[in-house]
Amino acid sequence: MALNRREFLKSAAAASAASAVGIAVPSNLEAAASDAQKGWRWDKAACRFCGTGCGIMLATKNGRIVAVKGDPAAPVNRGLNCIKGYFNAKIMYGADRLKTPLLRMNDKGEFDKHGKFRPVSWQRAFDEMEKHARKALKESGPEGVAVFASGQYTVMEGYAAQKMMKAGFRSNAIDPNARHCMASAVVGFYQTFGIDEPAGCYDDIEITDTIVTWGSNMAEMHPILWSRVTDRKLSDPDRVKVVNIQTYTHRTCDLGDFNIIFSPSTDLAIWNYIAHEIVYNHPEAIDWDFVKENIVFTAGPVNIGYGMRRKGEKSLTPVRPDGSAGKYTAKEMETIKKEMAKKVSAKEAPALAPYGYKEGDIMHNTPGTLKHWLISFEEYKKSLEPFTLDYVAKIAKGDPNESIDSFKKKLKMLADLYIEKGRKVVSFWTMGMNQHTRGTWVNTLSYNVHFLLNKQALPGNGAFSLTGQPSACGTAREVGTFCHRLPADLMVKNPKHRAIAEKKWHIPAGTLNPVGNQHIMKIHRDIEDGVVKFAWVNVCNAYQDSASAKHWIKAARHMDNFIVTSDGYPGISAMVSDLVLPSAMIYEKWGAYGNAERRTQHWRQQVLPVGDAMSDTWQWVEFSKRFTVKDLWGPYTLRNGKKLPDVRKDAKKMGYNDDTTMFEILFANDRAKKYKIDLNKFPQKGYDNSECLGDSRNVVGSDGKVFKGYGFMIHEYLFEEYASFGRGHGHDLAPFVVYHKVRGLKWPVVDGKETQWRFNVKYDPYAAKAAKKAGSKSTHAFYGPLAKKLLQGSLTKPDKKLGKKALPLKAKIFARPYMDPPEMPDENYDTWLCTGRVLEHWHSGTMTMRVPELFRAVPEALCYMNPKDAKAKGVKRGELVWVESRRGKVKARVETRGRNRPPQGLVFVPWFDEKVFINKVCLDATCPMSKQTDYKKCAVKITKA
């Protein structure tokens, strides 16, 4: 019987799926699948979604992607995909893909901030961008030009954007949405290890005996990894234990041997309880040989605030008698004023007692600092003294219907699993610990426990931060698209690091700006304050994904500024903008991602972009043609009084002149042109390359002429130049061509071999080299270079008389207490709100809500509520409620029997749905050290709509 096309495709998919899991395929099905796939070209790529880094296979035919399957050769997912992964093709072909630039204009064809979107050419779009960027530079200097960057950039896109911003515009006002995602993990790595990225890898899952999740719904957020956890559990169910520590019950909890539901923010107390149990009740469990050889004890200030706006900022003035201030209401100010000073509560007072505070004291806060100093083990032990089982159980129990005895028993069982000699333990976490007003603290507390027990950087042992986005590691962190970073852990404030970058980029000494403080929330606040006049949104949805969103949308629409969004679809950020640029989506361009286990993966362009869409790399490179040495490299005075020197004379000494463009200096230089186009060789042979060659669409480019390509392999150039920063410095990447032959490699890649466990002398060549050089016989060498010379002192302050001490090859244990978040339920707002994602949708839903199957599966964001709370508030499942905070309210449908089961007193509302715009409700408090927003806890009230 003949099969129609749909049945052909189903047969092919079924055959592929069966083959991936080792099921024999019937001959008739195999024949049908083979017939269905005639003329298909299969090629490997990386999944567009989370930071797991799954490998996929894409089939193309007649210039269109026709099928997706898991890559059986990919070591991360081994042929499996999650539900989103199988729709990597469909996200590219939504009915409302952006295909041409759109500018707000009046009827005369002039730009009008209050006009309607009308199609324009690429040339007109760049004309407007150039005009407004020049205006911003004139009025505010480099700090007036900003970019909302992304952990979803390809490596090449992020590198191009940061290079133009930092070397061209001399602006560090570029920060990725990874700031919302991984910043607390990053600062935790820096403070603990002196270098970024995790020590372990996914192989730990198959080796360990114990998996503990902390604020991570792996079953939905990292489902392929959870399938590996599940497989490990079922392979030895008696020995292998799974424990989930969460603020509400969800799908991950279904596998748990036991689950701990804790009160928001008290994960700080639980980590300290485990350390207390080790130090006070099981000192024999401490591996003193390891600790003395490799670890030091440290402390830092506790009065660091909550990363909110501070008194005196432009939008907080004037202060009015009714309690409001500037653009903020009196209700909003009830929380914001805690940024300056707060009263120590009964709940946190015992934890703060070793630091000299008691209940009722007024703690005067200074802005968050990374400062810390050495303390003795005895001082560290003193910091743990309050965290007894009784105290921690009292403040941390999150389910009012659970007995205190039951909760205590679980805490004790948890500590016993960590402490048990010979038991391997992996601690996984994601946003629950990272999106936290003490996110850096809680990240470092995880390492404390693993270090004391010598269960870190060993196969099957380690604390492991899971990444949320596909290249939050590879592009945001490793490339250095954060406002304070440069590639490979270099920092803009360090003059030696700036000199390295200036030399590699062939730009004059002194070009780079040393002030890198415009993180994502500060960019939003600077737009509201009128400092940032030009902002460009790249590969993210900055106006949907930021907390207290109505402030930033109002500022974008009504202040004197120009907002640009590059995207594949018209999301909230596009609708807020003045200019919208159509971006090529993932498989319409060459690219690379870096995943959560340090694995770098590359792919080739599979199809041509739709319409006139072009990649973000192309957009940045074209924009660079508009600016010259004369335009950008003169003197500037920054807000803090620092002066950027005039480097134009030095530029001339390097062979440039006033009219040399940034395109010629940064992107089309002699170094770049050495990377040749060769369509007869792998990996270029047989694949499109829209940036390098142009393509059959004959897109009319930024100069009004048909774009014919750059004529050299710009993707390879950008990657290889970026990689040169890390080679020989513990961030070694393989050559560009190698990545096209393999299914990714975990850096550092030394002598062609990837590294599984960093800092371990047996597995990490950098650790082995460092230990040998130091004459150390230790099993580990923590060779990260940052903050390895510290003052010494007590738990509460450093003593300058004692001087600084060098800490070569040492990692750190930190004394850090429990503290309340700045906003907690009270008589007016009596319920905790937590936000997050669901399995079927990615971030703001811009892509996945346009896939019919995913939309039908979860068409709207629900307010997940405990049935007892629903009854008490007089609402039923399926009815609409208002979720209201001090900042705003949204309407959502109640779900009391769903996949997410909150305890009484807490609701969970996902943020993917722009119609249930929950980020208008959320508080924009951040970890003061990492500047990562805390979306997991604010106070709301629920009323029937």
Side-chain angles (χ1 to χ4, degrees):
M1 184 177 71
L3 297 178
N4 61 31
R5 181 178 180 276
R6 180 178 177 82
E7 288 166 334
F8 266 151
L9 296 176
K10 287 171 69 177
S11 297
S16 294
S19 176
V21 296
I23 298 173
V25 181
S27 57
N28 65 329
L29 182 61
E30 195 168 15
S34 179
D35 197 17
Q37 295 182 30
K38 281 181 180 177
W40 290 11
R41 179 189 71 188
W42 287 97
D43 196 28
K44 75 176 182 73
C47 179
R48 175 60 180 79
F49 297 109
C50 77
T52 299
C54 293
I56 61 172
M57 298 295 293
L58 295 170
T60 54
K61 184 177 182 180
N62 298 329
R64 191 176 174 94
I65 298 174
V66 294
V68 179
K69 64 182 179 182
D71 183 354
V76 172
N77 54 309
R78 305 164 185 178
L80 296 177
N81 280 159
C82 78
I83 187 65
K84 289 192 298 295
Y86 286 114
F87 289 106
N88 267 286
K90 280 198 172 183
I91 63 172
M92 299 173 64
Y93 300 121
D96 58 345
R97 266 294 297 269
L98 294 167
K99 297 178 181 179
T100 189
L102 301 169
L103 177 68
R104 288 187 184 274
M105 294 192 289
N106 58 27
D107 292 337
K108 297 178 182 179
E110 302 164 330
F111 167 66
D112 184 342
K113 196 165 180 69
H114 303 292
K116 294 180 179 179
F117 282 119
R118 303 175 196 269
V120 294
S121 66
W122 277 111
Q123 183 177 31
R124 175 70 190 279
F126 280 107
D127 285 347
E128 292 291 341
M129 290 172 69
E130 177 189 348
K131 173 185 171 184
H132 287 91
R134 288 181 184 277
K135 179 184 175 186
L137 285 167
K138 184 177 180 180
E139 295 184 12
S140 297
E143 292 161 308
V145 176
V147 174
F148 293 104
S150 178
Q152 297 168 65
Y153 271 142
T154 68
V155 166
M156 296 76 149
E157 287 168 343
Y159 185 69
Q162 116 148 315
K163 197 176 182 188
M164 180 57 195
M165 281 295 287
K166 293 176 181 176
F169 287 120
R170 308 178 78 181
S171 173
N172 292 321
I174 173 172
D175 210 54
N177 57 1
R179 178 71 70 177
H180 296 313
C181 163
M182 298 307 300
S184 295
V186 171
V187 181
F189 281 124
Y190 277 145
Q191 293 225 311
T192 302
F193 300 100
I195 192 171
D196 192 12
E197 301 283 5
C201 60
Y202 298 160
D203 299 347
D204 287 323
I205 295 170
E206 283 74 30
I207 300 169
T208 194
D209 306 312
T210 319
I211 294 101
V212 186
T213 70
W214 293 76
S216 178
N217 185 358
M218 285 180 72
E220 294 203 49
M221 304 311 118
H222 297 87
I224 297 303
L225 292 183
W226 194 242
S227 73
R228 290 175 62 171
V229 170
T230 302
D231 184 59
R232 175 65 184 132
K233 170 64 179 173
L234 298 178
S235 70
D236 190 356
D238 293 332
R239 173 64 181 171
V240 176
K241 303 298 180 187
V242 176
V243 183
N244 302 292
I245 304 169
Q246 316 291 344
T247 59
Y248 62 94
T249 303
H250 45 58
R251 284 179 170 176
T252 300
C253 299
D254 294 343
L255 188 68
D257 288 273
F258 61 94
N259 303 301
I260 294 173
I261 304 301
F262 68 95
S263 178
S265 224
T266 60
D267 44 358
L268 292 157
I270 295 173
W271 276 118
N272 275 313
Y273 160 71
I274 300 169
H276 177 280
E277 194 71 7
I278 296 167
V279 169
Y280 280 88
N281 297 329
H282 294 278
E284 75 286 353
I286 301 174
D287 188 331
W288 278 112
D289 290 340
F290 172 82
V291 171
K292 288 176 180 177
E293 186 71 31
N294 298 288
I295 306 298
V296 294
F297 296 89
T298 53
V302 297
N303 61 328
I304 59 176
Y306 300 100
M308 296 183 285
R309 278 196 174 277
R310 292 192 64 80
K311 182 179 179 181
E313 291 183 7
K314 189 172 181 181
S315 292
L316 284 190
T317 57
V319 178
R320 304 181 189 90
D322 66 355
S324 66
K327 297 175 181 177
Y328 290 78
T329 67
K331 285 185 178 180
E332 289 175 298
M333 290 304 299
E334 288 174 7
T335 302
I336 292 173
K337 68 183 181 182
K338 295 178 184 176
E339 176 63 25
M340 281 56 79
K342 59 156 288 181
K343 184 182 288 188
V344 174
S345 73
K347 185 175 182 179
E348 65 190 348
L352 290 170
Y355 300 85
Y357 291 95
K358 63 182 183 300
E359 182 182 351
D361 282 354
I362 301 300
M363 178 183 285
H364 295 280
N365 295 322
T366 55
T369 175
L370 302 179
K371 182 172 143 185
H372 55 282
W373 53 86
L374 289 171
I375 60 173
S376 66
F377 171 73
E378 290 305 317
E379 287 286 285
Y380 170 67
K381 184 176 180 179
K382 186 166 78 173
S383 78
L384 296 176
E385 189 174 359
F387 294 98
T388 62
L389 181 60
D390 285 344
Y391 170 62
V392 173
K394 179 182 177 183
I395 67 168
K397 186 170 76 73
D399 182 354
N401 294 308
E402 181 178 11
S403 73
I404 194 72
D405 289 338
S406 169
F407 191 73
K408 284 183 180 180
K409 182 180 178 181
K410 290 178 183 177
L411 290 179
K412 186 69 170 61
M413 288 165 62
L414 174 68
D416 289 346
L417 286 174
Y418 276 99
I419 292 168
E420 183 182 329
K421 190 173 178 60
R423 174 171 286 279
K424 298 184 180 79
V425 186
V426 176
S427 304
F428 283 121
W429 67 91
T430 323
M431 296 310 127
M433 274 173 50
N434 291 337
Q435 292 177 342
H436 199 306
T437 52
R438 292 295 181 266
T440 299
W441 285 12
V442 75
N443 269 262
T444 58
L445 289 176
S446 69
Y447 302 119
N448 291 2
V449 168
H450 283 267
F451 282 151
L452 288 169
L453 301 168
N454 190 9
K455 294 185 179 184
Q456 178 68 26
L458 289 165
N461 274 307
F464 196 130
S465 168
L466 292 171
T467 312
Q469 298 185 78
S471 203
C473 292
T475 308
R477 294 157 69 175
E478 294 157 25
V479 169
T481 50
F482 284 92
C483 65
H484 63 291
R485 290 179 72 162
L486 293 163
D489 281 341
L490 301 183
M491 300 291 169
V492 298
K493 73 176 181 181
N494 187 318
K496 292 180 180 178
H497 291 182
R498 295 197 303 277
I500 292 169
E502 287 163 347
K503 185 175 180 181
K504 285 191 179 291
W505 290 342
H506 291 236
I507 60 177
T511 302
L512 294 182
N513 183 343
V515 180
N517 61 12
Q518 285 176 280
H519 55 86
I520 271 195
M521 290 315 305
K522 184 163 177 57
I523 292 173
H524 277 306
R525 292 166 187 169
D526 278 351
I527 292 172
E528 188 175 52
D529 286 349
V531 174
V532 168
K533 302 286 188 179
F534 176 94
W536 191 356
V537 179
N538 286 186
V539 206
C540 65
N541 196 348
Y543 286 93
Q544 186 176 342
D545 72 21
S546 292
S548 200
K550 68 177 185 179
H551 275 276
W552 324 129
I553 290 174
K554 185 177 180 180
R557 293 303 309 131
H558 298 292
M559 299 290 289
D560 177 22
N561 53 43
F562 190 75
I563 311 295
V564 185
T565 290
S566 295
D567 206 337
Y569 289 104
I572 285 178
S573 294
M575 292 186 280
V576 165
S577 297
D578 302 302
L579 174 66
V580 181
L581 304 180
S583 284
M585 291 185 69
I586 179 169
Y587 310 118
E588 297 169 341
K589 56 195 176 187
W590 291 66
Y593 280 162
N595 81 342
E597 61 167 357
R598 295 173 277 109
R599 182 180 299 277
T600 308
Q601 301 181 78
H602 285 233
W603 65 89
R604 297 180 279 199
Q605 183 177 342
Q606 302 296 315
V607 291
L608 298 184
V610 302
D612 285 342
M614 294 296 284
S615 75
D616 291 76
T617 300
W618 180 86
Q619 292 174 36
W620 273 104
V621 173
E622 291 301 293
F623 198 39
S624 74
K625 294 177 178 179
R626 301 292 183 116
F627 299 91
T628 65
V629 167
K630 181 174 60 180
D631 296 329
L632 301 182
W633 284 0
Y636 291 103
T637 300
L638 304 176
R639 275 180 291 179
N640 65 358
K642 280 188 180 287
K643 295 184 183 297
L644 298 186
D646 187 334
V647 297
R648 290 173 292 187
K649 287 184 180 179
D650 289 334
K652 290 177 182 177
K653 293 176 184 176
M654 297 178 75
Y656 308 136
N657 60 53
D658 278 350
D659 296 322
T660 306
T661 66
M662 292 299 127
F663 171 69
E664 296 168 281
I665 297 171
L666 303 178
F667 301 114
N669 49 57
D670 291 339
R671 305 181 310 283
K673 291 174 182 176
K674 291 177 181 177
Y675 292 90
K676 304 295 185 183
I677 298 292
D678 191 340
L679 298 180
N680 294 313
K681 286 186 178 180
F682 176 87
Q684 298 177 41
K685 186 177 181 179
Y687 286 83
D688 290 307
N689 198 326
S690 295
E691 294 94 334
C692 301
L693 296 168
D695 59 50
S696 59
R697 295 174 300 153
N698 290 321
V699 173
V700 177
S702 65
D703 58 359
K705 300 175 183 177
V706 172
F707 180 71
K708 296 294 186 181
Y710 298 123
F712 60 92
M713 190 59 177
I714 193 169
H715 315 294
E716 187 171 8
Y717 163 61
L718 291 171
F719 180 79
E720 288 294 334
E721 185 178 88
Y722 147 64
S724 72
F725 279 87
R727 289 176 181 148
H729 304 285
H731 277 269
D732 305 61
L733 295 166
F736 178 86
V737 174
V738 169
Y739 285 111
H740 286 282
K741 297 177 180 178
V742 300
R743 262 58 177 182
L745 292 169
K746 298 186 284 287
W747 62 264
V749 181
V750 181
D751 297 328
K753 296 180 181 178
E754 65 181 5
T755 300
Q756 291 171 287
W757 291 278
R758 294 171 80 205
F759 314 125
N760 187 311
V761 169
K762 183 177 178 180
Y763 301 97
D764 183 347
Y766 276 95
K769 181 180 177 181
K772 183 178 181 181
K773 185 178 179 181
S776 169
K777 298 288 179 70
S778 176
T779 55
H780 291 73
F782 296 101
Y783 52 80
L786 298 179
K788 287 298 180 76
K789 193 172 184 181
L790 296 179
L791 288 170
Q792 303 170 69
S794 67
L795 194 58
T796 56
K797 62 183 179 180
D799 186 345
K800 292 183 179 179
K801 294 178 184 177
L802 296 175
K804 286 190 174 183
K805 186 176 180 180
L807 310 168
L809 308 187
K810 302 288 188 182
K812 300 167 189 170
I813 284 177
F814 281 86
R816 279 167 169 163
Y818 163 76
M819 287 186 72
D820 294 338
E823 190 170 272
M824 303 171 73
D826 56 24
E827 62 276 9
N828 296 316
Y829 299 90
D830 60 355
T831 300
W832 286 109
L833 168 67
C834 180
T835 66
R837 289 200 287 116
V838 295
L839 169 66
E840 293 82 358
H841 291 296
W842 176 244
H843 281 199
S844 60
T846 311
M847 295 177 289
T848 51
M849 288 289 272
R850 287 167 168 84
V851 175
E853 294 87 344
L854 296 176
F855 177 81
R856 285 195 298 268
V858 182
E860 63 180 328
L862 302 172
C863 177
Y864 292 91
M865 185 186 299
N866 188 282
K868 291 183 179 179
D869 281 340
K871 184 177 181 180
K873 296 178 187 303
V875 297
K876 296 178 181 177
R877 180 174 182 247
E879 291 184 336
L880 292 171
V881 293
W882 287 108
V883 182
E884 182 178 354
S885 73
R886 290 170 172 84
R887 291 154 294 282
K889 63 181 183 178
V890 298
K891 198 181 291 185
R893 199 173 306 280
V894 170
E895 176 57 86
T896 57
R897 299 205 307 251
R899 62 179 78 174
N900 301 301
R901 291 148 278 168
Q904 280 185 270
L906 184 145
V907 295
F908 172 75
V909 183
W911 71 280
F912 68 85
D913 188 352
E914 62 185 42
K915 294 178 180 177
V916 183
F917 195 173
I918 196 64
N919 278 341
K920 291 193 299 184
V921 176
C922 293
L923 174 65
D924 63 315
T926 72
C927 167
M929 302 170 82
S930 71
K931 318 304 182 189
Q932 179 164 353
T933 314
D934 188 342
Y935 296 90
K936 299 299 180 184
K937 51 194 94 66
C938 70
V940 298
K941 58 185 175 183
I942 309 294
T943 54
K944 194 169 183 176

